[in-house]
Structures are given as C-alpha cells and as structure tokens.
Coordinates of all heavy atoms in Angstrom, one line a residue:
V1 N 19.8 -29.8 111.2 CA 20.2 -28.5 110.9 C 21.5 -28.1 111.7 O 22.4 -27.5 111.2 CB 19.1 -27.5 111.2 CG1 19.6 -26.0 111.1 CG2 17.9 -27.7 110.2
Y2 N 21.5 -28.5 112.9 CA 22.6 -28.2 113.8 C 23.9 -28.9 113.5 O 25.0 -28.5 113.9 CB 22.2 -28.5 115.3 CG 21.0 -27.7 115.7 CD1 19.7 -28.2 115.5 CD2 21.2 -26.5 116.4 CE1 18.6 -27.5 115.9 CE2 20.0 -25.8 116.8 CZ 18.8 -26.3 116.5 OH 17.7 -25.5 116.9
K3 N 23.8 -29.9 112.7 CA 25.0 -30.6 112.2 C 25.6 -30.0 110.9 O 26.7 -30.2 110.6 CB 24.7 -32.1 111.9 CG 24.1 -32.8 113.1 CD 23.6 -34.2 112.8 CE 22.9 -34.9 114.0 NZ 22.3 -36.2 113.6
L4 N 24.7 -29.2 110.3 CA 25.1 -28.6 109.0 C 25.5 -27.1 109.1 O 26.2 -26.6 108.3 CB 24.0 -28.8 107.9 CG 23.6 -30.2 107.6 CD1 22.3 -30.2 106.8 CD2 24.7 -30.9 106.8
A5 N 24.9 -26.4 110.1 CA 25.0 -25.0 110.2 C 25.8 -24.6 111.4 O 25.8 -25.2 112.4 CB 23.6 -24.3 110.3
E6 N 26.6 -23.5 111.2 CA 27.4 -23.0 112.3 C 26.6 -22.5 113.5 O 26.9 -22.8 114.6 CB 28.2 -21.8 111.8 CG 29.5 -22.1 110.9 CD 30.6 -22.7 111.8 OE1 30.5 -22.6 113.1 OE2 31.5 -23.3 111.3
Y7 N 25.5 -21.8 113.2 CA 24.6 -21.4 114.3 C 23.2 -21.3 113.7 O 23.0 -21.1 112.5 CB 25.0 -20.2 115.0 CG 25.0 -18.9 114.1 CD1 23.9 -18.1 114.0 CD2 26.1 -18.6 113.3 CE1 23.8 -17.0 113.2 CE2 26.1 -17.4 112.5 CZ 24.9 -16.7 112.5 OH 24.9 -15.6 111.7
V8 N 22.2 -21.5 114.6 CA 20.8 -21.4 114.2 C 20.1 -20.3 115.0 O 19.8 -20.5 116.2 CB 20.1 -22.8 114.4 CG1 18.7 -22.7 113.9 CG2 20.9 -23.9 113.8
P9 N 19.8 -19.2 114.4 CA 19.2 -18.1 115.1 C 17.8 -18.4 115.5 O 17.2 -19.3 114.9 CB 19.3 -16.9 114.1 CG 19.4 -17.5 112.8 CD 20.1 -18.8 113.0
D10 N 17.2 -17.6 116.4 CA 15.9 -17.9 116.9 C 14.9 -17.8 115.8 O 13.9 -18.5 115.8 CB 15.5 -16.9 118.0 CG 16.3 -17.1 119.3 OD1 16.8 -18.3 119.5 OD2 16.4 -16.2 120.1
A11 N 15.1 -16.9 114.8 CA 14.1 -16.8 113.7 C 14.1 -18.1 112.9 O 13.0 -18.5 112.5 CB 14.6 -15.6 112.8
A12 N 15.2 -18.7 112.7 CA 15.3 -20.0 112.0 C 14.5 -21.0 112.7 O 13.7 -21.8 112.2 CB 16.7 -20.4 111.7
K13 N 14.7 -21.1 114.1 CA 14.0 -22.1 114.9 C 12.5 -21.9 114.8 O 11.7 -22.8 114.7 CB 14.5 -21.9 116.3 CG 15.9 -22.3 116.6 CD 16.4 -22.0 118.0 CE 17.8 -22.2 118.2 NZ 18.3 -21.8 119.6
A14 N 12.1 -20.6 114.8 CA 10.6 -20.3 114.7 C 10.1 -20.7 113.4 O 9.0 -21.3 113.3 CB 10.4 -18.8 115.0
L15 N 10.8 -20.5 112.3 CA 10.3 -20.9 111.0 C 10.3 -22.4 110.8 O 9.4 -22.9 110.2 CB 11.2 -20.2 109.9 CG 11.1 -18.7 109.8 CD1 12.1 -18.1 108.8 CD2 9.7 -18.3 109.4
M16 N 11.3 -23.0 111.3 CA 11.3 -24.5 111.3 C 10.1 -25.1 112.0 O 9.5 -26.0 111.5 CB 12.7 -25.0 111.9 CG 13.9 -24.7 111.0 SD 15.5 -24.7 112.0 CE 15.4 -26.2 112.9
E17 N 9.8 -24.6 113.1 CA 8.7 -25.1 113.9 C 7.4 -24.8 113.2 O 6.5 -25.6 113.2 CB 8.7 -24.4 115.3 CG 7.6 -25.0 116.2 CD 7.6 -24.4 117.6 OE1 8.6 -23.7 117.9 OE2 6.7 -24.6 118.4
A18 N 7.3 -23.7 112.5 CA 6.0 -23.3 111.9 C 5.8 -24.0 110.6 O 4.7 -24.3 110.2 CB 6.0 -21.8 111.7
F19 N 6.9 -24.2 109.8 CA 6.7 -24.6 108.4 C 7.3 -25.9 108.0 O 7.2 -26.4 106.8 CB 7.1 -23.5 107.5 CG 6.4 -22.2 107.6 CD1 7.1 -21.1 108.1 CD2 5.1 -22.1 107.4 CE1 6.4 -19.9 108.3 CE2 4.4 -20.9 107.5 CZ 5.1 -19.8 108.0
W20 N 8.0 -26.6 108.9 CA 8.7 -27.8 108.5 C 7.9 -29.0 109.2 O 7.4 -28.9 110.3 CB 10.1 -27.8 109.0 CG 11.1 -27.2 108.1 CD1 10.8 -26.4 107.0 CD2 12.5 -27.1 108.2 NE1 11.9 -25.9 106.4 CE2 13.0 -26.4 107.2 CE3 13.4 -27.7 109.1 CZ2 14.4 -26.1 107.0 CZ3 14.7 -27.5 109.0 CH2 15.2 -26.7 107.9
P21 N 7.8 -30.1 108.5 CA 8.3 -30.3 107.1 C 7.4 -29.6 106.2 O 6.2 -29.5 106.4 CB 8.2 -31.8 106.9 CG 7.1 -32.3 107.9 CD 7.3 -31.4 109.1
G22 N 7.9 -29.0 105.1 CA 7.1 -28.3 104.1 C 8.0 -27.5 103.2 O 9.2 -27.6 103.2
P23 N 7.4 -26.7 102.3 CA 8.0 -26.0 101.2 C 8.8 -24.7 101.6 O 8.6 -23.7 101.0 CB 6.9 -25.7 100.2 CG 5.7 -25.5 101.1 CD 5.9 -26.4 102.3
L24 N 9.6 -24.8 102.6 CA 10.4 -23.7 103.0 C 11.9 -24.1 103.1 O 12.2 -25.1 103.8 CB 10.0 -23.1 104.3 CG 10.8 -22.0 104.9 CD1 10.6 -20.7 104.1 CD2 10.5 -21.7 106.4
T25 N 12.8 -23.3 102.5 CA 14.2 -23.5 102.5 C 14.8 -22.3 103.3 O 14.5 -21.2 103.1 CB 14.8 -23.6 101.1 OG1 14.4 -24.7 100.4 CG2 16.4 -23.6 101.2
I26 N 15.7 -22.7 104.3 CA 16.4 -21.6 105.0 C 17.9 -21.7 104.7 O 18.4 -22.7 104.5 CB 16.1 -21.7 106.6 CG1 16.7 -23.1 107.1 CG2 14.7 -21.6 106.9 CD1 16.6 -23.2 108.6
I27 N 18.5 -20.5 104.7 CA 19.9 -20.4 104.4 C 20.6 -19.9 105.7 O 20.2 -18.9 106.3 CB 20.2 -19.4 103.3 CG1 19.6 -20.0 102.0 CG2 21.7 -19.1 103.1 CD1 19.9 -19.2 100.7
L28 N 21.7 -20.7 106.1 CA 22.5 -20.4 107.3 C 23.9 -20.5 107.0 O 24.3 -21.0 105.9 CB 22.1 -21.4 108.4 CG 20.6 -21.4 108.8 CD1 20.4 -22.6 109.7 CD2 20.2 -20.1 109.5
K29 N 24.8 -20.0 107.8 CA 26.2 -20.2 107.7 C 26.5 -21.6 107.8 O 26.0 -22.3 108.7 CB 27.0 -19.4 108.8 CG 26.8 -17.9 108.7 CD 27.6 -17.3 107.6 CE 27.5 -15.7 107.7 NZ 28.3 -15.1 106.6
K30 N 27.4 -22.2 106.9 CA 27.6 -23.6 106.9 C 28.8 -24.0 107.7 O 29.7 -23.2 108.0 CB 27.8 -24.1 105.5 CG 29.2 -23.8 104.9 CD 29.3 -24.4 103.5 CE 30.7 -24.2 102.9 NZ 31.7 -25.1 103.4
K31 N 28.8 -25.3 108.2 CA 29.9 -25.9 108.8 C 30.8 -26.5 107.7 O 30.4 -26.7 106.5 CB 29.5 -27.0 109.7 CG 28.9 -26.5 111.0 CD 28.6 -27.7 112.0 CE 28.1 -27.1 113.4 NZ 27.8 -28.2 114.3
A32 N 32.1 -26.7 108.0 CA 33.0 -27.2 107.1 C 32.6 -28.6 106.5 O 33.1 -29.0 105.4 CB 34.4 -27.3 107.7
I33 N 31.8 -29.3 107.2 CA 31.3 -30.7 106.7 C 30.6 -30.6 105.4 O 30.6 -31.5 104.6 CB 30.4 -31.3 107.8 CG1 30.2 -32.8 107.5 CG2 29.1 -30.6 107.9 CD1 29.4 -33.5 108.5
V34 N 30.0 -29.4 105.1 CA 29.3 -29.2 103.8 C 30.3 -28.7 102.8 O 30.9 -27.6 102.9 CB 28.2 -28.2 103.9 CG1 27.4 -28.2 102.6 CG2 27.3 -28.6 105.1
P35 N 30.6 -29.5 101.7 CA 31.6 -29.1 100.7 C 31.2 -27.9 99.9 O 30.0 -27.7 99.7 CB 31.7 -30.4 99.8 CG 30.5 -31.1 100.0 CD 30.0 -30.8 101.4
D36 N 32.1 -27.1 99.5 CA 31.9 -26.0 98.6 C 31.2 -26.4 97.3 O 30.4 -25.6 96.8 CB 33.2 -25.3 98.3 CG 33.7 -24.5 99.5 OD1 33.0 -24.3 100.5 OD2 34.9 -24.1 99.4
E37 N 31.4 -27.6 96.9 CA 30.8 -28.0 95.6 C 29.2 -28.1 95.8 O 28.5 -28.0 94.8 CB 31.3 -29.4 95.2 CG 32.7 -29.4 94.7 CD 33.8 -29.3 95.7 OE1 33.4 -29.3 96.9 OE2 35.0 -29.3 95.4
T38 N 28.8 -28.3 97.0 CA 27.3 -28.4 97.2 C 26.7 -27.0 97.3 O 25.6 -26.7 96.9 CB 27.0 -29.2 98.5 OG1 27.5 -30.5 98.3 CG2 25.5 -29.2 98.8

C-alpha cells in the first residue's frame, strides 16, 4: 500500500489490520507510479 499511495491515514491502517486479507477495498491518493489508465 505504501508503494502505491501518497499517504496512508490511521483509519486505513486500522481497516487493513481488521479486514485484510479479505473483501474490503480502500481508496487512497495515488502515487505517480500508478498510471491514469488504471
């Protein structure tokens, strides 16, 4: 996540810990490494 997102708020960390791996998708500000086409 830290390689793909600009920053990871505490809420995201808490949800990742609680529900990953599993059926939860989180949306964060992206880094330039992720193309707009994606």
Side-chain angles (χ1 to χ4, degrees):
V1 173
Y2 299 87
K3 302 171 186 176
L4 299 169
E6 280 288 347
Y7 66 91
V8 183
D10 289 341
K13 296 173 186 176
L15 292 176
M16 288 156 53
E17 182 176 352
F19 300 114
W20 279 7
L24 177 69
T25 295
I26 61 173
I27 292 181
L28 301 169
K29 296 286 186 181
K30 79 178 183 75
K31 286 186 175 179
I33 190 175
V34 185
D36 288 345
E37 286 79 2
T38 298

